[in-house]
């Protein structure tokens, strides 16, 4: 008889425990503030010998095959045991990473024991506790993209007054989802704290074999703001990261030319939420996923919209509706023509008449009546979604004209 392989416990490296602030996203991650636990399984020894193949590791640790991955601790207040299942979250870009989450609670910030079994032996690693007084990290702001095709340039800004020890950029391609890459993560790389702009081509050579960034599937960039345990920037590995925030922005590999386009970084009830600084007299471009119409609305305390420029991608005009002075208005506007709202601007407007089949990105130009932060939304109009502002009666337009209230600077197509 041939000698049987001697099975051994999994090899585990880089155990970590972090404060983890997760933004809303379209990937399927649950947003919120957590304690994140994790480690990387570098190899298992199964019936066929030792292997570092991702699919073999994932399979050997499945409960159906006698394996497990779990995290345990003791509640510091109640003294009760706490157990969490660790799930495979790896990919060829980062290896066989396993993670677990607990809602952020000071009573759970003590050390955790991470245990992994391939059905024969168990390997345990202990995390480093989170220091008393540590706080969650806020999100980066002003996420934008510029460029053409498969080589976009991304930029962002740190939140004011926040310590930044580094950034981690992750790229997801949902066309690459597989059992060993369950979220389609194709690239993950750390950067120094002074890096707030980079082109995809500058680090795309880090893509694993067989992966690519093309225009055939949905893409998401994730920007992590990292704060380290040692306060330095030379070691940005997970065990040394004390706190991180993760902002997600969907993008398309299409041509934006030299125009900087701001991307939504949050999603609330279907609305795309933006967060970037604005000044009066400047046009800012935003980019959501195309739809047949949108409702644009400022956030609390934001300056009003002063003008809008819609994409010059269709020959038919758009329908622009809004409220001003307690009255409703409907205008017909051509793409590529800046439309100026009445004096003082508006807090909300609706655009319909969009032929969404013509667009891969509906890039809209906005200007504002004053300086501040745009934290507003762009909500796509769906069959059962928001209803545009109703068409005004012609009598009200005549009344406004006679009072001189409609004599504002604007350029529109003929009604």
């Amino acid at each position: 008889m041939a000698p049987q392989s001697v099975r051994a416990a999994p090899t585990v490296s880089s155990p970590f425990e972090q404060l983890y602030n997760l933004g809303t996203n379209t990937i399927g991650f649950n947003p919120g503030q957590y304690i994140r636990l994790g480690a990387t399984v570098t190899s298992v020894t199964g019936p066929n010998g030792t292997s570092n193949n991702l699919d073999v590791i994932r399979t050997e640790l499945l409960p159906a095959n006698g394996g497990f991955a779990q995290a345990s601790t003791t509640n510091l207040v109640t003294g009760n045991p706490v157990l969490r299942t660790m799930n495979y979250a790896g990919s060829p870009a980062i290896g066989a990473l396993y993670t677990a989450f607990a809602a952020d609670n000071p009573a759970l910030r003590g050390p955790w024991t991470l245990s992994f079994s391939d059905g024969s032996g168990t390997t345990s690693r202990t995390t480093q506790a989170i220091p008393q007084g540590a706080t969650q990290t806020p999100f980066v702001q002003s996420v934008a993209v510029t460029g053409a095709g498969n080589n976009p340039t991304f930029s962002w800004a740190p939140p004011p007054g926040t310590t930044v020890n580094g950034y981690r950029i992750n790229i997801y391609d949902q066309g690459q989802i597989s059992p060993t890459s369950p979220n389609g993560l194709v690239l993950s790389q750390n950067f120094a704290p002074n890096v707030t702009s980079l082109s995809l081509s500058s680090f795309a050579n880090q893509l694993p074999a067989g992966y690519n960034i093309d225009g055939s599937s949905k893409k998401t960039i994730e920007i992590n703001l990292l704060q380290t345990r040692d306060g330095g920037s030379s070691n940005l590995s997970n065990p040394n990261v004390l706190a991180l925030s993760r902002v997600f922005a969907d993008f398309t590999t299409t041509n934006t030319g030299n125009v900087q386009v701001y991307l939504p970084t949050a999603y609330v009830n279907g609305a795309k939420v933006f967060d970037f600084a604005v000044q009066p007299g400047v046009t800012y471009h935003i980019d959501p996923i195309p739809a047949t119409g949108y409702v644009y609305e400022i956030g609390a305390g934001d300056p009003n919209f002063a003008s809008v420029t819609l994409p010059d991608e269709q020959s038919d005009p758009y329908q622009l509706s809004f409220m001003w002075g307690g009255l409703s208005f409907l205008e017909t506007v051509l793409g590529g023509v800046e439309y100026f709202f009445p004096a003082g601007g508006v807090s909300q407007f609706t655009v319909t008449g969009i032929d969404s089949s013509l667009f891969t990105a509906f890039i809209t130009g906005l200007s504002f009546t004053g300086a501040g932060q745009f934290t507003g939304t762009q909500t796509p109009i769906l069959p059962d979604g928001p209803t545009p502002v109703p068409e005004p009666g012609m009598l009200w337009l005549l009344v406004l004209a006679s009072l001189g209230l409609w004599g504002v600077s604007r350029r529109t197509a003929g009604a």
Side-chain angles (χ1 to χ4, degrees):
M1 294 179 61
Q4 293 184 340
S5 299
V6 177
R7 299 194 63 178
T11 304
V12 179
S13 66
S14 305
F16 62 85
E17 178 179 345
Q18 305 163 332
L19 293 180
Y20 187 71
N21 190 10
L22 186 64
T24 57
N25 58 88
T26 62
I27 297 175
F29 300 143
N30 291 322
Q33 294 189 340
Y34 301 95
I35 297 170
R36 183 171 81 144
L37 312 155
T40 299
V41 178
T42 57
S43 68
V44 292
T45 304
N48 298 316
T50 300
S51 175
N52 60 4
N53 178 273
L54 295 185
D55 192 54
V56 172
I57 293 173
R58 184 187 63 85
T59 301
E60 290 288 320
L61 268 62
L62 290 174
N65 296 327
F68 64 81
Q70 62 187 30
S72 60
T73 192
T74 299
N75 186 299
L76 299 177
V77 174
T78 67
N80 294 330
V82 179
L83 184 67
R84 292 287 187 275
T85 297
M86 302 192 72
N87 295 307
Y88 180 86
S91 79
I94 59 173
L97 176 69
Y98 280 79
T99 58
F101 302 88
D104 189 10
N105 179 347
L108 301 181
R109 291 188 175 188
W112 288 67
T113 299
L114 313 182
S115 300
F116 302 85
S117 175
D118 56 9
S120 59
T122 300
T123 300
S124 296
R125 295 286 184 266
T126 302
T127 66
Q128 189 176 355
I130 294 172
Q132 185 177 2
T135 59
Q136 295 279 353
T137 300
F139 300 122
V140 300
Q141 303 172 350
S142 303
V143 178
V145 62
T146 309
N150 294 344
N151 186 29
T153 295
F154 298 97
S155 60
W156 60 91
T162 300
T163 298
V164 181
N165 297 125
Y167 295 102
R168 179 175 300 157
I169 305 301
N170 292 336
I171 301 289
Y172 299 85
D173 184 342
Q174 296 192 27
Q176 302 281 353
I177 291 176
S178 69
T180 50
S181 185
N183 301 305
L185 179 64
V186 297
L187 190 147
S188 181
Q189 191 165 342
N190 296 329
F191 293 89
N194 62 339
V195 176
T196 57
S197 177
L198 57 91
S199 65
L200 187 59
S201 65
S202 67
F203 61 114
N205 61 350
Q206 303 296 319
L207 286 169
Y211 278 47
N212 61 76
I213 299 293
D214 57 33
S216 62
S217 55
K218 187 176 183 179
K219 313 293 188 301
T220 301
I221 184 171
E222 172 196 327
I223 303 173
N224 294 234
L225 189 159
L226 307 178
Q227 294 179 333
T228 56
R229 290 178 178 269
D230 63 9
S233 299
S234 60
N235 179 6
L236 300 179
S237 65
N238 274 323
N240 193 43
V241 171
L242 172 63
L244 70 160
S245 61
R246 300 173 70 177
V247 157
F248 301 82
D250 296 336
F251 68 96
T252 54
T253 50
T254 56
N255 191 359
T256 66
N258 294 320
V259 175
Q260 185 179 51
V261 179
Y262 290 91
L263 302 174
T265 54
Y267 306 86
V268 179
N269 297 325
K272 278 61 174 176
V273 184
F274 296 83
D275 187 3
F276 57 88
V278 299
Q279 293 289 333
V282 179
T283 297
Y284 301 87
H285 294 85
I286 62 176
D287 172 21
I289 300 300
T292 58
Y294 297 99
V295 177
Y296 299 75
E297 188 172 5
I298 63 171
D302 295 357
N304 278 344
F305 298 112
S307 71
V308 60
T309 306
L310 300 171
D312 189 14
E313 301 287 340
Q314 65 180 46
S315 57
D316 292 335
Y318 303 97
Q319 302 300 310
L320 175 67
S321 53
F322 57 91
M323 296 290 296
W324 185 77
L327 305 174
S328 59
F329 298 90
L330 177 67
E331 295 282 344
T332 302
V333 181
L334 287 174
V337 178
E338 186 174 14
Y339 178 88
F340 292 89
F341 294 108
V346 297
S347 62
Q348 178 178 318
F349 65 90
T350 299
V351 176
T352 55
I354 300 171
D355 183 355
S356 59
S357 67
L358 299 176
F359 297 92
T360 56
F362 194 78
I363 298 175
T364 306
L366 300 171
S367 71
F368 298 85
T369 58
Q373 197 80 4
F374 177 53
T375 59
T377 57
Q378 185 174 13
T379 306
I381 296 177
L382 305 174
D384 57 350
T387 303
V389 177
E391 182 175 357
M394 182 58 67
L395 177 60
W396 284 115
L397 293 179
L398 293 174
V399 170
L400 284 173
S402 67
L403 294 175
L405 297 178
W406 196 236
V408 295
S409 175
R410 72 192 195 283
R411 290 178 287 159
T412 70

